[in-house]
Amino acid sequence: MNGNMIIKNAAELVTCSGFAAKKGPEMAELHIIPDGAVVIREGIIEAVGTTQEVEKKLSKSATDLSEFDTIDARNKAVLPGFVDSHTHFIFGGYRAEEFAWRLRGDSYMDIMKRGGGIASTVQATRAASANELLQAGIKRLDSMLSFGVTTVEGKSGYGLDKDTEIKQLEVINHLDGIHYLDIVPTFLGAHAVPEAFKGREDDFIDYLIDAVLPQVVERNLAQYCDVFCEKNVFSVSQSKRLLTSARELGLKIKLHADEIVQLGGAELAAELHATSADHLLQASDDGIRQMARADVIATLLPATAFSLKEPYARGRFIIDSGCAVALATDFNPGSCFSESIPLIFALATLYMGITTEEAVSALTINSAAALDRADTIGSIDVAKQGDLVVLEYPSYKYIPYHVGVNTVDKVVKKGNLVFDKEKGGMRYC
Ligand code: NIG
Ligand code: FE
């Protein structure tokens, strides 16, 4: 595991080349190299081109090939590793009962109002030890990796008190150190109003600003601050207050915006120049246009709309309005208990008017940009991290076509082969 890898003879090398989010029509450009090859040295991409070009370069530079692992990707497509830029993967307990209630007609918000939903996961997460959360987290990350995800964002938000929020963030940071996946930690203390603060939402925002955020920042436990800006949760002005304070302390910001009710979350994201606004099922036309002008990434989460039986976000309209769209799973124990990347591709392409090319950009370079990492991941470009996915098929077009099924054959992380379906899955070192 030295991070030295040569991948050659790829039927399609889908580079998604670029160092910033792709907006509007740019999302359709994948910059494909037929018969492509990549050289990764010590985890960093050193050369990209056709197999012939890359082999010529290698022989000229007298590279010692015995120091490199080689993957022959004949008849296979190679893409950048997928980036899942919105998840809540650290939590205690499950909510299978709640899923059954929803099948019988209860709404997500009804369940939340009567004390279920996020509150029940909060109870279970408070009760869980850090080690229990860690062990569950490893399993979930392993599963994500098998779907080709090489970087994931993970939120707190199932503590709603200082100790548990910090426990969650510590676990996320620990996992970043021990697991192959890179993890971007997000502080989501304002995920719901805890019992002790019911009816005193402003006081809870004060508590987060005064007692929790400073510790999170001081201990470098998060890179982002997020908030559930929603009717009956946190208002636009409460969200603004929290996000402004978080930014002053040095965190980047993103929001759960206009998921269930059109509240003005998209407009707030534009006003604050947030990195991303996520969900957007109910976002107004004007809010979307403001986001496009302010370079806020629209992160769409189709598996959540699917699981909640809500109308999908207007993917086509949002791209045509000039926004950069990212796609993510929203993996969590309530509204979307799925880390499935094939499901995201299926829903985005079949139900949201998003083309396969746009969906690929949305899960690679644009989701990297939604984590402010488009300079180091999200595309196959020289000097970026060597995070790649090899498909079982010769083209990226098979991803949504083989509907709902995992088409990933191999995953390369920082130049090391870490998942190989042909060899029975995960490779541990
Ligand atoms: O993104 N909307 C708020 N938060 C999550 C759901 C979390 C949960 O239900 O546990 C979401 O859908
Ligand atoms: Fe979410």
Side-chain angles (χ1 to χ4, degrees):
M1 300 287 257
N2 58 6
N4 291 344
M5 170 77 73
I6 298 169
I7 300 171
K8 58 182 188 181
N9 304 322
E12 268 179 4
L13 185 71
V14 182
T15 66
C16 299
S17 180
F19 290 81
K22 294 189 199 294
K23 295 178 75 169
E26 295 164 4
M27 286 185 66
E29 295 161 18
L30 294 182
H31 303 279
I32 295 171
I33 302 174
D35 190 14
V38 188
V39 179
I40 305 167
R41 190 191 291 272
E42 291 175 14
I44 303 294
I45 299 175
E46 184 181 79
V48 180
T50 63
T51 301
Q52 215 184 13
E53 285 164 356
V54 167
E55 278 181 339
K56 209 162 155 192
K57 215 181 231 171
L58 282 173
S59 65
K60 264 195 192 155
S61 66
T63 301
D64 180 359
L65 293 179
S66 70
E67 289 177 4
F68 285 75
D69 286 337
T70 303
I71 294 176
D72 187 340
R74 209 170 296 258
N75 294 322
K76 293 174 176 176
V78 175
L79 289 87
F82 298 127
V83 177
D84 191 348
S85 62
H86 181 138
T87 84
H88 311 243
F89 79 94
I90 291 297
F91 54 83
Y94 290 94
R95 283 152 53 197
E97 276 307 316
E98 186 184 307
F99 187 84
W101 295 336
R102 282 197 275 112
L103 294 182
R104 279 186 232 120
D106 289 357
S107 79
Y108 179 76
M109 275 310 194
D110 288 344
I111 294 168
M112 189 162 170
K113 269 188 221 147
R114 60 174 196 249
I118 293 173
S120 88
T121 301
V122 167
Q123 243 181 354
T125 307
R126 286 180 181 170
S129 70
N131 190 46
E132 284 164 347
L133 295 177
L134 189 87
Q135 297 309 325
I138 290 172
K139 282 198 182 148
R140 293 169 194 156
L141 292 172
D142 286 353
S143 174
M144 291 173 189
L145 186 63
S146 74
F147 286 120
V149 173
T150 47
T151 299
V152 65
E153 184 251 20
K155 303 176 195 292
S156 68
Y158 291 124
L160 312 181
D161 62 26
K162 186 169 71 185
D163 290 351
T164 318
E165 287 293 313
I166 286 182
K167 176 173 73 178
Q168 271 195 282
L169 288 172
E170 282 173 346
V171 168
I172 292 172
N173 280 279
H174 187 169
L175 284 167
D176 181 43
I178 63 169
H179 200 277
Y180 292 130
L181 261 85
D182 284 322
I183 309 174
V184 177
T186 293
F187 172 60
L188 177 58
H191 193 193
V193 186
E195 209 39 55
F197 283 89
K198 277 273 144 62
R200 296 191 298 124
E201 287 74 16
D202 275 304
D203 292 350
F204 184 58
I205 296 288
D206 287 341
Y207 164 74
L208 292 177
I209 293 174
D210 298 337
V212 192
L213 258 177
Q215 280 223 23
V216 169
V217 172
E218 205 171 291
R219 296 187 48 205
N220 202 17
L221 290 172
Q223 291 170 20
Y224 278 91
C225 181
D226 192 348
V227 54
F228 191 10
C229 179
E230 187 65 52
K231 188 174 170 208
N232 295 328
V233 192
F234 298 104
S235 67
V236 168
S237 68
Q238 287 159 348
S239 303
K240 183 173 174 178
R241 206 151 62 78
L242 175 71
L243 294 175
T244 308
S245 300
R247 174 172 278 160
E248 275 164 14
L249 289 173
L251 295 184
K252 295 175 230 180
I253 58 174
K254 47 175 71 237
L255 310 68
H256 284 65
D258 299 322
E259 178 182 358
I260 294 157
V261 171
Q262 190 178 104
L263 204 69
E267 288 84 347
L268 176 64
E271 182 191 334
L272 296 179
H273 291 268
T275 307
S276 72
D278 304 23
H279 284 294
L280 301 169
L281 273 52
Q282 306 293 340
S284 73
D285 291 7
D286 202 44
I288 295 296
R289 290 191 198 103
Q290 289 178 33
M291 281 176 49
R293 283 196 293 275
D295 286 329
V296 179
I297 292 169
T299 299
L300 308 184
L301 310 165
T304 308
F306 175 69
S307 301
L308 295 178
K309 299 204 271 186
E310 295 281 345
Y312 295 98
R314 296 175 296 156
R316 186 73 263 139
F317 171 78
I318 298 174
I319 295 174
D320 290 343
S321 300
C323 267
V325 164
L327 287 162
T329 63
D330 195 20
F331 177 61
N332 74 71
S335 64
C336 183
F337 186 46
S338 176
E339 69 278 38
S340 169
I341 297 295
L343 179 61
I344 302 301
F345 268 101
L347 299 176
T349 55
L350 292 168
Y351 294 109
M352 296 169 82
I354 294 177
T355 67
T356 305
E357 291 73 21
E358 289 165 343
V360 168
S361 295
L363 272 154
T364 55
I365 186 69
N366 280 7
S367 40
L371 300 177
D372 200 18
R373 293 205 177 178
D375 53 339
T376 54
I377 56 169
S379 71
I380 304 177
D381 278 305
V382 169
K384 282 205 182 183
Q385 211 163 275
D387 297 354
L388 310 176
V389 166
V390 181
L391 298 186
E392 287 174 330
Y393 294 105
S395 171
Y396 68 91
K397 291 182 178 143
Y398 283 72
I399 305 174
Y401 166 54
H402 201 168
V403 61
V405 178
N406 191 13
T407 56
V408 170
D409 181 44
K410 294 178 176 47
V411 180
V412 173
K413 180 69 185 169
K414 294 180 183 157
N416 296 311
L417 180 64
V418 293
F419 176 84
D420 192 350
K421 201 182 267 174
E422 285 173 9
K423 299 219 170 71
M426 210 74 64
R427 288 189 44 170
Y428 290 96
C429 60

